[in-house]
Amino acid sequence: MAKDQGTIEPNFHLKVSLSIIYFLGTWPPRASKYRILYLLYTVCSFIFLLGILLTAEIANVFANWGDMSKILAFATILMTNFIHASKVFILLSRQKRIQALLDLANSSAFSRYDKKHQDLLIKYTWKGLFHHATYQSFGAIAVFCWGITPITDLIAGRSRQLPMEGWYPYNVTRTPVFEITAAHQGIAIIIACFHNVALDTLMTGLITVACCQLAILERNIMSIDNEKNLQNDNNLSFLAEEKILSYLQLKRCAIFTMEIQNIFSTIIFFQLLSNCMIICLIAFNVTQMKVYIPAVLIGLVTYMCCMTYQIFIFCWHGNELHLHSLRIVTAAYSCNWFSATKGFTHSLQIMMIRSHRPFTLIAGNIMILSLDTFVQILRMSYSIFTVLQGSTI
């Protein structure tokens, strides 16, 4: 497809997420003589970004066992890194299935590289990029504030403190181990933030593709026979062909959505559950601060916004998918069905009956991804926060 000035490549949002994942070592090439070398890079990247931090944080839990106030202070980062590591495992273990989804999303049967649907393809691609940029902005501000904590402490004359708490088998306050450890933590959390956002936007980006295809299907059904005269036998064949293509497109969208749920539903469920805890713990930690350091406070607030937005993008995309599938019924009724043959109207009824069972994404077979779920999670988080607050009074 020749791209006009000002347009963007369809599904470019998936390409952005996948490029970040690839360069950070968690998307091995399927068939390449360098695959073994890349897997070694994967191991080194995982150890640098998450392995060392997770080990130090888990060791810190045992070192402070019994002191709940200290454990609650760093539990948010521990849960974030643990879920992040789980996503990496899901990505690597199910790479073939995810690649199959990406191949279908970029196939001619799914993308439809023609000017008729170019506006929809570009619209949904920009939606994916918007969510990626917004989500990344919250995360980048938070991790940047944490990463420069040692520098702000030095300028303010405060005691040395690492960006994140953890137990290390050496004295981290001495030079040069403090500088090395602080530099590792600062660099690791910044890079890990970009990687974690890319993993999430890859999942939501695939849902955006499904929404786009449903929008294309809706337009196609509504435009059936708009440019054709139904009294002609050739045009009746055209109607039959359009009906078959529409049903196949609906079927492909259903299979695509089901596979997204089968691959990602469990990890999305644990992500939503952990974020519910993280949000209330961040709010609790902020209320327990005795000295408000600007960089730390801004980092915590933007981190809470980032976790909230992380819940929102999953629930919003699930809600959009549900609404798009419901609109297929209205689109089928809006076409010129009353002038078509009985065979065509019968087939259209079958499609409408199928569309009455709208597409839904269920996280862990428990939570339906919708805006109602988003509100319920925030309410649950606030309830836990009030319980924690009451226990300290």
Side-chain angles (χ1 to χ4, degrees):
M1 178 183 70
K3 291 184 285 186
D4 299 326
Q5 187 176 5
T7 64
I8 192 171
E9 179 185 349
N11 298 337
F12 183 72
H13 59 294
L14 293 178
K15 187 175 181 181
V16 170
S17 299
L18 204 60
S19 297
I20 295 172
I21 293 169
Y22 173 78
F23 285 115
L24 293 181
T26 48
W27 192 257
R30 285 179 288 179
S32 172
K33 60 182 179 180
Y34 300 109
R35 181 176 173 83
I36 301 299
L37 290 176
Y38 188 93
L39 290 174
L40 291 175
Y41 170 57
T42 299
V43 174
C44 294
S45 176
F46 180 84
I47 292 173
F48 181 83
L49 295 180
L50 291 169
I52 297 174
L53 291 178
L54 271 174
T55 303
E57 288 160 3
I58 293 172
N60 203 27
V61 171
F62 289 104
N64 292 282
W65 193 259
D67 191 340
M68 287 304 299
S69 60
K70 286 188 176 180
I71 293 176
L72 290 176
F74 62 83
T76 56
I77 300 296
L78 175 60
M79 285 190 285
T80 298
N81 288 337
F82 181 77
I83 296 296
H84 187 181
S86 301
K87 291 178 194 172
V88 173
F89 175 77
I90 293 292
L91 186 77
L92 294 173
S93 62
R94 301 177 182 177
Q95 184 184 6
K96 289 183 179 179
R97 295 172 64 184
I98 298 171
Q99 185 62 58
L101 288 177
L102 293 169
D103 291 340
L104 179 58
N106 293 310
S107 66
S108 58
F110 229 44
S111 280
R112 298 197 178 189
Y113 293 91
D114 56 68
K115 291 186 177 181
K116 181 181 177 183
H117 304 298
Q118 188 182 44
D119 60 324
L120 285 177
L121 293 166
I122 292 173
K123 174 185 174 181
Y124 283 86
T125 298
W126 277 115
K127 278 186 177 181
L129 291 173
F130 170 79
H131 285 293
H132 189 131
T134 306
Y135 181 16
Q136 186 66 78
S137 298
F138 285 126
I141 294 172
V143 296
F144 177 76
C145 289
W146 290 337
I148 64 171
T149 298
I151 299 175
T152 57
D153 288 341
L154 178 64
I155 294 173
R158 292 187 291 267
S159 59
R160 290 182 167 187
Q161 185 176 353
L162 292 172
M164 293 181 293
E165 290 191 40
W167 182 89
Y168 291 89
Y170 50 81
N171 187 352
V172 294
T173 61
R174 292 183 178 180
T175 301
V177 291
F178 172 80
E179 287 77 9
I180 295 172
T181 306
H184 165 259
Q185 285 192 356
I187 295 171
I189 60 173
I190 291 173
I191 299 176
C193 172
F194 282 89
H195 186 257
N196 199 11
V197 170
L199 291 174
D200 288 338
T201 51
L202 178 64
M203 301 180 210
T204 57
L206 289 169
I207 303 173
T208 300
V209 170
C211 291
C212 180
Q213 295 308 309
L214 288 172
I216 291 174
L217 176 59
E218 178 188 358
R219 174 184 288 181
N220 285 340
I221 294 173
M222 292 182 68
S223 64
I224 286 177
D225 78 65
N226 280 354
E227 300 175 0
K228 301 287 181 178
N229 188 334
L230 297 179
Q231 306 304 317
N232 186 295
D233 289 341
N234 291 333
N235 294 332
L236 291 177
S237 295
F238 165 81
L239 278 179
E241 182 182 350
E242 282 293 312
K243 175 263 297 181
I244 293 171
L245 290 175
S246 296
Y247 180 75
L248 290 176
Q249 188 74 356
L250 181 63
K251 185 177 179 181
R252 277 194 292 264
C253 288
I255 295 172
F256 190 82
T257 302
M258 190 180 301
E259 184 65 358
I260 291 174
Q261 176 165 311
N262 291 339
I263 295 173
F264 300 116
S265 67
T266 302
I267 194 62
I268 291 175
F269 170 74
F270 285 111
Q271 181 70 77
L272 299 182
L273 191 63
S274 67
N275 280 24
C276 176
M277 297 296 299
I278 289 170
I279 291 170
C280 72
L281 288 176
I282 294 173
F284 178 74
N285 289 335
V286 169
T287 60
Q288 298 302 305
M289 291 176 67
K290 297 195 172 29
V291 179
Y292 289 97
I293 302 171
V296 176
L297 183 60
I298 294 171
L300 286 173
V301 172
T302 52
Y303 181 39
M304 184 165 61
C305 293
C306 182
M307 295 296 99
T308 304
Y309 198 81
Q310 189 175 35
I311 299 172
F312 173 75
I313 60 171
F314 284 118
C315 293
W316 186 86
H317 281 85
N319 195 71
E320 283 293 293
L321 182 69
H322 179 83
L323 295 178
H324 276 71
S325 64
L326 285 176
R327 290 210 294 262
I328 298 299
V329 179
T330 306
Y333 189 78
S334 300
C335 76
N336 201 0
W337 55 269
F338 46 83
S339 301
T341 63
K342 287 186 178 180
F344 179 82
T345 55
H346 179 69
S347 300
L348 205 59
Q349 283 179 333
I350 294 175
M351 183 181 294
M352 292 174 72
I353 291 171
R354 171 61 187 88
S355 299
H356 272 297
R357 292 185 288 115
F359 298 169
T360 54
L361 291 174
I362 305 176
N365 294 322
I366 296 175
M367 295 181 182
I368 295 176
L369 296 184
S370 66
L371 294 181
D372 287 339
T373 301
F374 172 69
V375 174
Q376 290 172 10
I377 291 173
L378 293 185
R379 284 177 177 173
M380 186 186 301
S381 184
Y382 179 74
S383 298
I384 298 172
F385 167 72
T386 55
V387 171
L388 290 174
Q389 276 286 86
S391 65
T392 60
I393 296 176

